[in-house]
Amino acid sequence: MQRILITGSGGHLGSCLLQTCQQLGMPTVAWSHRTSEVFCGVTLRPVELLEKDLVAEAFREAEPEIVVHTAAASTIAACHADPTRAKQVNVEVSSHLTELAEAANAKMVILSTDLVFDGERGQYHEQDVVGPLSHYGGTKVMAEQVVKQYPNHVVIRLSLLYALGEGSESTFLDRQIEALRQRQPCNLFVDEWRTPLWTPDAAQAVLDIACSDYQGTIHLGGPERLSRFEWGCRIAATLCFNPEDISPVSRASVPAAEPRPRDVSLDSSLWREHFPGGVWHTCEEALAGINM
Ligand SMILES: NC(=O)c1ccc[n+]([C@@H]2O[C@H](COP(=O)([O-])OP(=O)(O)OC[C@H]3O[C@@H](n4cnc5c(N)ncnc54)[C@H](OP(=O)(O)O)[C@@H]3O)[C@@H](O)[C@H]2O)c1
């Protein structure tokens, strides 16, 4: 088994990836941002990725054969609030890690996003032209470009992930469930579409791809294209809450600092063709094991 380095191991996807690696018995080095806690039997190493010397030293010690770079300024809001830092974290760090991976002859895998597209068409393929509307999406396009300079790379564009949070980290799904439980009125967009992907399915797929010979760009989205409203109603119905507590609203009714793309659903047929054994749960299947 190849030795894998995961950045962002304290994050939503990184922690799930680490868990999956441990279940498979893969030799894993896990970097976090600040925490040095033990997670899934692995002690997280805090590495501030903006400190190049520290990163280079930790990289040499890690001796990875595969780098899975999940760490990022990962939200539209954070990137909008501090665009300079967003570029440093998302672009410059990706560039530095790619240089280190190339020098060590390691495979470089980065996580990108459906938000590289402008959302005018939907069901995007890997070769479709990008056109981000947000600063976040723009930094991800730039990160993709720097990583693509090194042949032994994979760019994995993810759709919106969902899972319950680990520990104190609350996710969109936790907040949605809490609102339904409290019977708080909830407004969701009828005119914004994604292909939501269950985070454990994403983690397994990222590992399958990282450990394979696959090189280039690949899309990982969920099995269905859903509006935020449809998706919220499906979550409510599956978990036996009342979908009528959710009201349909239009994107135009909610002011946003940056424009929201209409439809950034991903076509994942390349992933499904190359990795046909990969798990791909519908919303109902994914949530079936959750006890309310
Ligand atoms: N979740 C989604 O729906 C989704 C969808 C599409 C693409 N993606 C992409 O997938 C990847 C993983 O997303 P995620 O949801 O797991 O993100 P996340 O939960 O925000 O995790 C990102 C991690 O990166 C760490 N980090 C940020 N800046 C750092 C720095 N300077 N040095 C070291 N670590 C740093 C964060 O630590 P702190 O929290 O301590 O800053 C956090 O633990 C990201 O590249 C994201 O853009 C995610």
Side-chain angles (χ1 to χ4, degrees):
M1 277 192 183
Q2 299 180 87
R3 190 170 166 80
I4 190 163
L5 165 64
I6 303 172
T7 70
S9 298
H12 180 68
L13 176 65
S15 56
C16 193
L17 262 173
L18 180 54
Q19 211 167 355
T20 312
C21 285
Q22 288 308 94
Q23 283 159 2
L24 296 172
M26 290 184 71
T28 310
V29 176
W31 290 358
S32 66
H33 195 180
R34 296 183 188 91
T35 171
S36 51
E37 70 190 277
V38 178
F39 182 72
C40 296
V42 178
T43 305
L44 304 187
R45 176 171 183 169
V47 178
E48 170 51 69
L49 293 171
L50 294 173
E51 289 184 25
K52 288 183 90 172
D53 292 346
L54 180 70
V55 172
E57 186 191 328
F59 195 98
R60 266 191 301 278
E61 288 172 19
E63 297 184 329
E65 292 163 283
I66 302 169
V67 179
V68 180
H69 177 39
T70 80
S74 64
T75 63
I76 291 180
C79 294
H80 180 79
D82 193 343
T84 306
R85 186 177 172 87
K87 194 170 170 207
Q88 287 169 341
V89 173
N90 289 354
V91 187
E92 291 169 23
V93 166
S94 298
S95 173
H96 185 219
L97 285 172
T98 304
E99 282 168 23
L100 294 170
E102 185 165 14
N105 205 19
K107 183 169 192 167
M108 182 69 196
V109 180
I110 65 156
L111 280 305
S112 187
T113 170
D114 51 4
L115 294 170
V116 296
F117 295 111
D118 65 11
E120 286 308 307
R121 208 202 65 207
Q123 300 292 15
Y124 289 102
H125 292 268
E126 286 75 1
Q127 68 278 12
D128 284 329
V129 176
V130 295
L133 300 186
S134 60
H135 189 70
Y136 167 62
T139 61
K140 287 295 192 173
V141 169
M142 286 187 266
E144 290 188 3
Q145 285 162 353
V146 295
V147 172
K148 283 177 184 171
Q149 305 299 315
Y150 172 44
N152 193 9
H153 77 270
V154 185
V155 171
I156 299 181
R157 291 198 189 121
L158 293 173
S159 198
L160 192 60
L161 301 181
Y162 68 105
L164 296 180
E166 295 280 343
S168 58
E169 288 295 322
S170 123
T171 65
F172 159 79
L173 183 61
D174 293 308
R175 292 188 290 278
Q176 178 78 50
I177 290 173
E178 199 45 34
L180 288 163
R181 194 199 309 277
Q182 304 282 343
R183 300 215 61 185
Q184 292 162 356
C186 173
N187 297 332
L188 292 177
F189 298 136
V190 282
D191 51 2
E192 184 179 302
W193 289 269
R194 308 287 280 265
T195 32
L197 179 63
W198 181 233
T199 308
D201 293 355
Q204 182 62 60
V206 168
L207 278 186
D208 290 345
I209 295 164
C211 297
S212 75
D213 294 335
Y214 190 89
Q215 290 182 344
T217 301
I218 193 161
H219 286 180
L220 299 187
E224 294 172 284
R225 171 184 173 273
L226 298 170
S227 73
R228 294 266 188 178
F229 175 71
E230 288 166 322
W231 189 33
C233 292
R234 296 267 294 272
I235 291 170
T238 308
L239 298 177
C240 299
F241 293 115
N242 188 357
E244 287 176 14
D245 289 342
I246 303 174
S247 305
V249 295
S250 162
R251 287 178 306 148
S253 66
V254 179
E258 293 185 309
R260 303 182 66 97
R262 191 179 66 87
D263 182 350
V264 285
S265 51
L266 295 180
D267 183 308
S268 302
S269 33
L270 194 64
W271 165 40
R272 303 309 300 164
E273 277 163 32
H274 279 75
F275 301 91
V279 274
W280 211 29
H281 292 104
T282 62
C283 174
E284 286 75 12
E285 290 164 347
L287 301 179
I290 298 180
N291 292 320
M292 284 298 102

